[in-house]
């Protein structure tokens, strides 16, 4: 389980203490394990008026830049969730926009999601007269930024919409990060239209502007606490990133007599196959209820030395005829294309002839770089080899490589590091592995067999 740091950013003329009720309750919640989550508060200067002539109030842009420095000092986290209240949400967005403007979008890769409470994405009119009176005495750049139709905030919003919400991949000038926003049903400071801005995942909480980030410790189902807890434990998905609860792959390999002949009848020209091994491969992918990515998803299996036979699909194949013809013409490669929705499950079953013979007993898979896999479960079943008088040598080993070079030649030359631990099992011929919280990378499963000595 990766370690997540949740960073709370307060609003205009507020302090980090405004988050105390949330943080205290999250820290004591058994469903939010302390070994997986930590909570920090970012503080920045904010006043109606700075009376000291030797000091000034920093702008939202400056506060956003300093937030970047603050986040850079958080070194033990695999991912970050940024939570902003009121103007704090603009500080967060200013930080993101500045990274994009500096062509440093890759610096944002650790940010899992952003959560906004009552943020004036379109400005706020309430208290503007009072803020203006103080501004006559002395300029307040934060007050200027909070005004409706402020140019700086509009520019930040355009960058967020184009290069964060509309991003397709992590690059210098873009980074896909999902936003989840809340507005107060009794908020007379930031109206719904301003809080929603251009964000799709927006919800109402029945609270005023300050009360929206307060929670009642005596109410276990306080909707404000439930909202922040759910946003942390179940981050919303991005339209360009698949959210996958489970990828399950089962491979069962069996020996057959060398003189056995199989006929692959699905092909345009039926093919006779002679082999000493046959495998059944089942792949199942379950998408999260938080998935928002509707881009077509493809699962491809190719066998360089063997042949592939389709046994079943849960949904019709959306692959183009020319792609499907790769299978029907040669039987070497099968591609399953489908369009996922929230909570959907897809299964593909294949039979593989001559795919795992001597010197070729391995399974290799490139994980999608634009997918987050909550759990990957892989099972290798070699029981039929036990019954046929073989022994395992060496033990099956699963390797996970975080760097996905998308080049099979480079993959074949890679040095293998420490193998993943398999799940406890009493049967050495049936091995299973589980990996949690995977994004990208490459999996290599390697094993070998030999006849028992007589």
């Amino acid at each position: 389980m990766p370690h997540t740091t949740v960073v709370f950013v307060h609003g205009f003329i507020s302090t980090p203490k405004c988050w105390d009720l949330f943080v205290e309750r999250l820290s004591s919640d058994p469903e939010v394990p302390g070994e997986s989550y930590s909570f920090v508060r970012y503080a920045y200067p904010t006043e109606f008026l700075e009376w000291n002539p030797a000091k000034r109030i920093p702008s939202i842009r400056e506060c956003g830049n300093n937030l970047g420095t603050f986040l850079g000092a958080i070194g033990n986290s695999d991912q970050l969730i940024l939570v902003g209240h009121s103007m704090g949400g603009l500080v967060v967005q200013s930080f993101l926009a500045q990274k994009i403007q500096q062509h440093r979008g890759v610096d944002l890769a650790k940010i899992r999601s952003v959560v906004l409470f009552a943020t004036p994405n379109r400005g706020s009119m309430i208290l503007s007269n009072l803020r203006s009176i103080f501004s006559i005495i002395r300029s307040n750049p934060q007050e200027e930024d909070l005004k409706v139709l402020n140019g700086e905030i509009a520019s930040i919003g355009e960058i967020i919409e184009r290069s964060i919400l509309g991003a397709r991949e992590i690059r210098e000038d873009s980074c896909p990060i999902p936003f989840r926003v809340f507005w107060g049903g009794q908020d007379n400071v930031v109206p719904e239209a301003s809080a929603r801005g251009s964000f799709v995942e927006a919800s109402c909480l029945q609270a005023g502007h300050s009360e929206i980030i307060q929670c009642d410790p005596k109410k276990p189902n306080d909707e404000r606490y439930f909202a922040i807890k759910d946003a942390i434990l179940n981050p919303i998905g991005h339209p360009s990133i698949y959210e996958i609860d489970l990828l399950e792959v089962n491979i069962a390999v069996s020996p057959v007599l060398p003189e056995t002949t199989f006929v692959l009848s699905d092909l345009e020209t039926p093919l006779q196959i002679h082999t000493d091994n046959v495998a059944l491969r089942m792949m199942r992918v379950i998408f999260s209820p938080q998935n928002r990515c509707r881009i077509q998803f493809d699962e491809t299996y190719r066998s360089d030395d063997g042949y592939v036979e389709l046994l079943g699909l849960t949904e019709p194949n959306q692959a183009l005829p020319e792609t499907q013809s790769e299978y029907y013409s040669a039987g070497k490669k099968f591609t399953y294309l489908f369009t996922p929705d929230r909570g959907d499950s897809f299964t593909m079953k294949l039979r593989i002839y001559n795919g795992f013979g001597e010197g070729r007993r391995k399974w290799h898979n490139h994980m999608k770089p634009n997918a987050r896999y909550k759990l990957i479960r892989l099972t290798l079943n070699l029981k039929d080899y036990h019954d046929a008088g073989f022994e395992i040598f060496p033990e099956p080993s699963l390797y996970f490589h975080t760097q996905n070079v998308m080049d099979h030649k480079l993959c074949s030359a890679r040095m293998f590091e420490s193998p993943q631990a398999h799940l406890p099992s009493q049967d050495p011929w049936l091995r299973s592995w589980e990996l949690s919280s995977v994004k990208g990378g490459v999996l290599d499963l390697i094993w070998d067999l030999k006849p028992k000595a007589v």
Side-chain angles (χ1 to χ4, degrees), residues 158-169:
E158 290 172 1
I159 294 172
I160 296 297
E161 187 169 354
R162 179 184 67 250
S163 300
I164 302 291
L165 302 179
R168 297 298 296 267
E169 58 185 332

Side-chain angles (χ1 to χ4, degrees), residues 8-51:
F8 293 93
V9 185
H10 63 82
F12 184 62
I13 61 170
S14 185
T15 72
K17 290 185 65 65
C18 70
W19 299 108
D20 282 357
L21 290 175
F22 270 174
V23 172
E24 289 171 8
R25 189 161 172 181
L26 287 166
S27 299
S28 61
D29 192 325
E31 295 181 2
V32 187
E35 65 273 16
S36 299
Y37 294 91
S38 58
F39 309 100
V40 298
R41 304 165 179 85
Y42 168 64
Y44 61 91
T46 176
E47 303 286 347
F48 260 127
L49 180 65
E50 177 55 69
W51 294 99

Side-chain angles (χ1 to χ4, degrees), residues 237-243 287 291-295 340-341 370:
H238 187 279
S240 295
I241 300 177
Y242 302 106
E243 299 287 342
F287 290 84
N291 180 60
R292 298 299 184 267
C293 185
R294 298 271 295 156
I295 302 170
D341 204 348
N370 64 328

